[in-house]
Amino acid sequence: MRKIWILGLAGILALVFSAAIWAAPYDEVLKRWQKTREFADIGDEIKITATYFSAEYIEALVQKEADDNLWTADELEMHKYQLLKTLNLDETIPVRLEFVVRGSSVHMSPFGEQVWLWVGGKRYKPVEFDPRFNFKISDKREGMVYFPRFDEKTGKDLLAGSKSVKLELSGGISHAIRAMAVDFIWDVVHDDPERLFAGQSGARLEMDRLIKRLARLNQEKDECEQKLNELDSEIATIEARMKELQVQ
C-alpha cells in the first residue's frame, strides 16, 4: 500500500511541476527548495533535480493548487490533509528526486545504498523510496525518497535545532559524474514543520496519529497481559510443587 502511495504522489507532483508557474510567491519559494545539478562527460549527460519538502514549500504548493483550481477553504484543507498524510511528515523527511539522462543508462540499484541525508553531522539512509529507482534509467524518472525524522537511538527530532540538511548522491551512479559525490544543501534554520499541523488538516492528522498510537498501546497491553498470565501460571506451578516437597 505504501508503494502505491509513493507512485501516486509522484504522479500528482509530476502534474504540478510540469505546469507553468505563474504565481511569483510560489516561484520564489520553489527556487529556495528545488535545486538542480548537471553533469556531462564524453557524450553522457545527467541532470538531477532535488526538491526538499519544507513547510514553506508545502504551504506554497497547496496554495498554488488551490488558486489554480479555485478550491474552497474546505477543499484546500482536504488536499493539504491528503498530501501531509502521504508525505508522512510526522515520521519522515521527504525529498523528491528527478533524473534526466542522455547517453549511457544510469544504474542505481541498490538505491538505498546510493543516497543519504546529512543532518547535524550524521548521515542517514532512506527508510523508503520509489522502487523504480532500482531499475535502469535511460531517459527520465522522478519519485519520492523518505528519510527518518527521528534518531533511531535517542528518539530526537533530527530537524530540531538543525541549521541545514544535505542530500548526498553517490557519483558512481553515472559515468558523467564519475567519482564525484553530488550534494544538495538546504538552509532549514527558519523552517518550522510544526506549523503545517495547524487547522483542520492538522487536527485530522493528529487524530490519525493518536488512533495508531492507541492501537499500538493496546497491542502492547495484550502482549503484557499474556506474559503476565504465563508468569502467574508458572508461579502457581512452582508454589504447588514446593508444597508437595514440604510434605514429603
Side-chain angles (χ1 to χ4, degrees):
M1 180 63 71
R2 178 65 175 163
K3 290 182 178 179
I4 294 175
W5 287 351
I6 293 175
L7 296 175
L9 179 60
I12 294 172
L13 294 175
L15 294 176
V16 174
F17 279 90
S18 61
I21 301 172
W22 298 106
Y26 175 76
D27 197 6
E28 294 170 3
V29 170
L30 184 63
K31 288 179 180 179
R32 281 194 287 274
W33 301 107
Q34 184 180 90
K35 300 179 183 296
T36 298
R37 297 194 63 181
E38 299 184 45
F39 302 88
D41 182 70
I42 315 178
D44 292 329
E45 299 178 15
I46 183 171
K47 180 170 74 171
I48 307 172
T49 300
T51 307
Y52 180 86
F53 277 71
S54 67
E56 181 189 34
Y57 172 67
I58 292 172
E59 288 177 338
L61 178 62
V62 172
Q63 188 60 55
K64 179 182 182 300
E65 284 292 283
D67 294 341
D68 290 348
N69 295 284
L70 302 178
W71 286 341
T72 64
D74 288 342
E75 288 173 329
L76 184 149
E77 285 293 332
M78 175 59 71
H79 181 78
K80 181 180 177 182
Y81 163 73
Q82 292 173 342
L83 179 59
L84 292 178
K85 186 174 182 179
T86 303
L87 290 173
N88 198 20
L89 281 176
D90 57 331
E91 295 182 6
T92 68
I93 301 173
V95 177
R96 178 180 178 272
L97 287 175
E98 178 186 85
F99 299 88
V100 179
V101 177
R102 295 184 181 87
S104 300
S105 299
V106 169
H107 300 267
M108 301 190 294
S109 180
F111 185 72
E113 302 294 331
Q114 309 288 349
V115 60
W116 307 271
L117 193 71
W118 288 85
V119 187
K122 293 184 179 180
R123 190 174 77 166
Y124 298 89
K125 293 182 179 180
V127 294
E128 200 156 9
F129 54 84
D130 191 319
R132 295 175 301 167
F133 286 145
N134 273 327
F135 297 94
K136 178 180 69 175
I137 304 175
S138 55
D139 45 19
K140 178 180 178 180
R141 188 157 302 158
E142 56 192 43
M144 299 298 298
V145 184
Y146 298 86
F147 296 92
R149 174 74 181 271
F150 299 93
D151 186 272
E152 186 177 6
K153 295 182 179 179
T154 65
K156 177 186 176 183
D157 186 341
L158 299 179
L159 296 176
S162 297
K163 295 182 179 180
S164 65
V165 297
K166 180 177 75 172
L167 180 76
E168 178 185 353
L169 275 164
S170 170
I173 63 174
S174 170
H175 295 299
I177 304 174
R178 295 183 180 273
M180 182 190 308
V182 183
D183 295 338
F184 299 90
I185 301 174
W186 295 278
D187 180 359
V188 298
V189 67
H190 297 301
D191 192 54
D192 180 16
E194 292 302 319
R195 76 189 193 199
L196 290 169
F197 298 100
Q200 297 177 14
S201 55
R204 292 186 64 182
L205 284 169
E206 183 177 4
M207 179 62 74
D208 290 343
R209 290 197 299 271
L210 292 175
I211 290 173
K212 289 181 181 178
R213 179 59 178 162
L214 185 60
R216 290 175 185 170
L217 290 174
N218 282 327
Q219 181 180 358
E220 292 177 8
K221 178 184 176 183
D222 291 341
E223 292 172 354
C224 288
E225 289 178 345
Q226 181 179 354
K227 182 64 176 178
L228 182 60
N229 290 335
E230 292 174 356
L231 292 173
D232 286 340
S233 177
E234 185 175 356
I235 289 172
T237 301
I238 292 173
E239 289 177 341
R241 179 55 181 163
M242 290 175 65
K243 289 180 180 179
E244 292 176 359
L245 293 173
Q246 288 174 350
V247 298
Q248 289 181 359

